[in-house]
Amino acid sequence: MVYTEPAYAKLNLTLDILSKRPDGYHDLRMVMQSIDLADEVAVSPREEAGCRVTADLPYLPRDGSNIAAKAAARFFETSGVSPAGLDIGIRKRIPVCAGMAGGSSDGAAVLRILRRIYAPEMPDGKLEEAGAAVGSDVPYCIRGGTALAEDRGERLTPLPPIPPCWLVVCKPPCSISTPELFAQVQVKKLRCHPDTSGMLDALKQQDLEGIAHRVYNVFEDVLPRRYAEVFSIKSDLLGLGAMAASMTGSGPAVFGIFREQESAAQAAEALSAQYPVVRLCHPVQAFSENFL
Ligand code: C5P
């Protein structure tokens, strides 16, 4: 039997860093949004013990170091279910190392599938706790939709969905290390912070203009010069009619928000002439039935 789940990518409508914590992580305040760009995750229980991961990208790890395998191990530890042998297959559609939670989302999909198979009574909170031990974004990826993520990113508050719009995502060919980018941040020296409460109000009012006006990611403030492409994609998107444009997570993917399909499609086409990874997407609402 094969069990499948889509693993949706996320974008950060806002990303704020509030402080460095004694455990080395940072306290964050982020408004997260799932989009309809998804990896396909398939899990098949098997006789043989252990967990084998296969993916259609040859450089992804196949052993226990893959986040999908870590999620499986953590599921069995947390649930008390005796570990089963598993084959996990991943079809990557989310750009890798882009700031779109591709790995976290695969881990989250594995957790959702294993709960379905082995522990349907497991409460959401416990599944998210297992997710938080695997990665800071995993709890959010378990539930998806529009949400405020705080503390390490694992404390979640569901938010009203973003009004219908089009999102153009473009990833430059560089990649940015998340821990290295966090290491660049001196919280007191950050020049601007997003207006997160204004963003929450705009979501409540379903005011797309107000939402677009408040899109902001503090990482852009500390981005080393060698990632200048991020800023040129942002200005391209704005020049092509985006209501707002921002880097997502620790980058380097950049997204633009468009009200109309036509202008979004034109922008995606124009950027495709210059960049290999460009996607035209929609927002997705919370997708796990347990979290609705
Ligand atoms: O939790 P996760 O493994 O996804 O985090 C990757 C890295 O990002 C951490 O090792 C840490 O350097 C940084 N991080 C942080 N504060 C957070 C989340 C991540 O400093 N809230």
Side-chain angles (χ1 to χ4, degrees), residues 168-244:
V168 175
V169 183
C170 176
K171 182 192 169 285
C174 57
S175 57
I176 301 177
S177 148
T178 303
E180 275 173 34
L181 199 55
F182 269 110
Q184 300 284 328
V185 176
Q186 288 178 269
V187 177
K188 289 205 176 107
K189 291 201 175 157
L190 289 170
R191 285 172 299 177
C192 301
H193 292 272
D195 172 13
T196 310
S197 50
M199 175 63 87
L200 303 189
D201 282 344
L203 283 163
K204 206 163 148 193
Q205 306 294 328
Q206 293 290 284
D207 168 15
L208 189 59
E209 200 78 49
I211 291 166
H213 190 62
R214 290 173 177 87
V215 164
Y216 187 68
N217 179 343
V218 293
F219 274 133
E220 288 182 12
D221 208 15
V222 297
L223 209 55
R225 273 172 192 275
R226 63 183 181 278
Y227 302 118
E229 259 178 324
V230 164
F231 298 105
S232 49
I233 296 171
K234 269 184 71 164
S235 63
D236 287 350
L237 280 162
L238 294 169
L240 290 159
M243 301 168 75

Side-chain angles (χ1 to χ4, degrees), residues 21 24-28 104 132 134-137 151-153 178-180 182:
R21 302 158 39 129
Y25 281 82
H26 292 78
D27 275 321
L28 307 176
S104 301
V134 179
S136 306
D137 284 343
D151 298 350
R152 253 177 66 209
T178 303
E180 275 173 34
F182 269 110

Side-chain angles (χ1 to χ4, degrees), residues 108-140:
V110 167
L111 289 169
R112 286 201 306 267
I113 292 173
L114 294 179
R115 172 167 73 172
R116 240 164 75 198
I117 308 175
Y118 298 107
E121 72 296 340
M122 188 190 226
D124 298 340
K126 206 162 174 200
L127 196 67
E128 289 184 357
E129 206 182 294
V134 179
S136 306
D137 284 343
V138 177
Y140 164 72

Side-chain angles (χ1 to χ4, degrees), residues 39-42 52-63 66 68 87-93 96 106:
D39 293 343
E40 288 169 37
V41 176
R52 183 176 53 205
V53 182
T54 52
D56 56 359
L57 284 185
Y59 52 83
L60 291 186
R62 286 160 183 252
D63 57 10
N66 189 299
D87 276 319
I88 302 177
I90 303 173
R91 275 198 198 173
K92 276 318 271 185
R93 297 291 174 266
V96 176
D106 296 343

